[in-house]
């Protein structure tokens, strides 16, 4: 029932062109689409981080070998790492110094997170805290947290953890 949002492509280009962009949760449904879209705006480098080996391999195959991405000439790095691992994430930030961070790494499936609340808190709250703190430490220009409508007046574990992450990043 809402009007479509029309992106100002020139505004997006100014935001991304020539910048080092990091996407966490890069191999997920949301993160991978962010990566595909970022590629069109000529970043200086696109750093994709995900803990899931097979999905990030599939994304690597797509972006390196399929058009239009293969001919875009954007330097890209695919990194298998977990946002829960503070030491590893620190290494990645220290190496790449991302200017923009799109944080899409999260557990998002409500029924599963009801069964595994410990994991939901570890990833959605503490993983977000790690990435957000490093974005501040390494002076990223912008940190974008990808959240969910379920964080508004949460009625489940997943929504509550995403709401906590929103509050922390704000």
């Amino acid at each position: 029932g809402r009007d479509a949002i029309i992106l100002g492509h020139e505004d997006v280009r100014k935001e991304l062109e020539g910048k080092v962009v990091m996407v966490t949760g890069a191999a997920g449904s949301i993160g991978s689409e962010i990566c595909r879209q970022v590629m069109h705006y000529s970043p200086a480098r696109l750093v994709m981080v995900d803990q899931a080996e097979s999905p990030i391999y599939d994304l690597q195959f797509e972006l390196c070998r399929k058009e239009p991405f293969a001919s875009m000439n954007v330097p890209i790095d695919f990194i298998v790492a977990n946002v829960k691992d503070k030491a590893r994430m620190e290494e990645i930030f220290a190496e790449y110094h991302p200017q923009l961070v799109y944080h899409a790494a999260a557990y998002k499936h409500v029924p599963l997170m009801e069964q595994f609340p410990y994991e939901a808190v570890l990833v959605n709250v503490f993983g977000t805290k790690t990435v957000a703190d490093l974005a501040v430490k390494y002076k990223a220009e912008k940190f974008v947290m990808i959240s969910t409508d379920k964080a508004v007046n949460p009625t489940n574990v997943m929504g509550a953890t995403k709401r906590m992450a929103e509050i922390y990043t704000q």
Side-chain angles (χ1 to χ4, degrees):
R2 297 184 304 214
D3 292 335
I5 295 172
I6 307 300
L7 291 176
H9 290 287
E10 278 311 306
D11 292 337
V12 175
R13 181 171 305 288
K14 288 177 191 171
E15 186 92 3
L16 297 173
E17 190 172 46
K19 302 282 180 75
V20 177
V21 179
M22 175 187 285
V23 179
T24 68
S29 58
I30 295 168
S32 63
E33 187 57 30
I34 291 170
C35 293
R36 289 181 196 99
Q37 295 300 318
V38 166
M39 292 277 293
H40 291 281
Y41 293 98
S42 305
R45 177 169 298 280
L46 177 55
V47 181
M48 292 166 268
V49 179
D50 204 292
Q51 56 82 34
E53 174 196 11
S54 292
I56 203 160
Y57 172 82
D58 293 341
L59 183 62
Q60 181 181 40
F61 185 87
E62 176 186 351
L63 297 183
C64 291
R65 298 189 181 167
K66 292 186 177 180
E67 294 303 335
F69 307 108
S71 60
M72 286 184 173
N73 211 20
V74 172
I76 51 180
D77 293 278
F78 299 88
I79 300 172
V80 177
N82 195 314
V83 296
K84 295 185 294 186
D85 186 339
K86 288 181 187 179
R88 181 68 179 117
M89 292 307 297
E90 174 98 32
E91 289 174 353
I92 295 165
F93 270 82
E95 180 174 350
Y96 293 99
H97 291 271
Q99 294 163 285
L100 289 100
V101 177
Y102 290 91
H103 178 57
Y107 285 130
K108 299 174 179 85
H109 297 283
V110 171
L112 272 175
M113 294 305 98
E114 291 298 315
Q115 288 183 292
F116 303 103
Y118 180 83
E119 289 298 323
V121 171
L122 272 181
V123 172
N124 294 356
V125 178
F126 294 107
T128 297
K129 180 183 184 311
T130 294
V131 176
D133 289 349
L134 288 168
V136 170
K137 179 178 179 178
Y138 286 90
K139 297 179 175 34
E141 296 169 15
K142 188 173 278 189
F143 176 89
V144 179
M145 182 182 145
I146 310 303
S147 194
T148 172
D149 60 341
K150 291 170 184 64
V152 179
N153 300 317
T155 59
N156 53 62
V157 169
M158 191 280 291
T161 61
K162 292 296 282 183
R163 181 68 186 128
M164 284 186 268
E166 285 180 356
I167 290 167
Y168 184 78
T169 57
Q170 289 172 348

